[in-house]
Amino acid sequence: MASSQLFVILAILAIFAPSILATDYIVGDEKGWTTNFDYQAWAQGKMFVVGDNLVFNYPKGVHNVNKVNGTGFQQCAAPVGAAPLTSGNDVIHLATPGRKWYICGVAKHCADGGQKLVITVMPSTAPSPSPVAASPSSLSASSAAPSPSPTAGCS
Ligand SMILES: *[C@@H]1O[C@H](CO)[C@@H](O)[C@H](O)[C@H]1NC(C)=O
Ligand SMILES: [Cu+2]
């Protein structure tokens, strides 16, 4: 009897392990996404890995989230024509390794309030947990990563 219970527990772990291993990082922790917060200090010492998520929490309408490049980060310039995330609970899936930059595009929050975040995403060490990981021929950019919800964006 004990061994059958153990089996059930192991089976459940096997099913949910990928979602346990992927980390959701609440940007700014309990402060959320706001002005006058040191996001470089927040990011310091954290290990971001492909498959993790960034969660930007803020009162809807007060801030937004723009993914920018290094230039946009330095200059606090949101890209023209790209819609920012505005839900107040914006989940960004870290789908690719490399440096990622995010700024608030509202007023002077980035330039004067320091509302900007830069992180480096490490390549995943584990094999992809995704069942749709597929043959190289199907890995076109358009089909690579469907967004899980309307409020989500993929980096
Ligand atoms: C950075 O983004 C801006 C605005 O989207 C664009 O004009 C510029 O060419 C980009 N720079 C690089 C190095 O990709
Ligand atoms: Cu803001």
Side-chain angles (χ1 to χ4, degrees):
M1 185 162 80
S3 66
S4 68
Q5 288 174 348
L6 181 63
F7 176 81
V8 169
I9 291 169
L10 288 176
I12 290 171
L13 282 178
I15 292 167
F16 289 101
S19 54
I20 292 170
L21 293 173
T23 305
D24 286 352
Y25 288 100
I26 311 296
V27 176
D29 297 314
E30 62 278 358
K31 291 283 189 184
W33 183 232
T34 185
T35 53
N36 302 311
F37 183 93
D38 189 346
Y39 289 100
Q40 285 340 106
W42 175 84
Q44 191 101 49
K46 290 186 173 61
M47 167 97 162
F48 303 95
V49 178
V50 167
D52 291 347
N53 294 303
L54 291 179
V55 182
F56 292 83
N57 289 327
Y58 54 91
K60 185 176 165 68
V62 176
H63 304 290
N64 63 25
V65 180
N66 294 266
K67 187 172 193 301
V68 296
N69 59 26
T71 309
F73 182 84
Q74 291 295 335
Q75 301 176 352
C76 281
V80 180
L85 301 175
T86 59
S87 78
N89 179 237
D90 302 326
V91 180
I92 292 185
H93 184 63
L94 301 173
T96 58
R99 217 143 163 77
K100 314 287 175 185
W101 302 267
Y102 306 95
I103 65 171
C104 177
V106 173
K108 299 275 186 198
H109 291 188
C110 176
D112 293 349
Q115 196 174 3
K116 58 202 308 201
L117 170 67
V118 53
I119 63 169
T120 300
V121 180
M122 311 303 280
S124 175
T125 49
S128 171
S130 169
V132 294
S135 58
S137 63
S138 70
L139 287 177
S140 69
S142 60
S143 68
S147 295
S149 80
T151 63
C154 260
S155 61

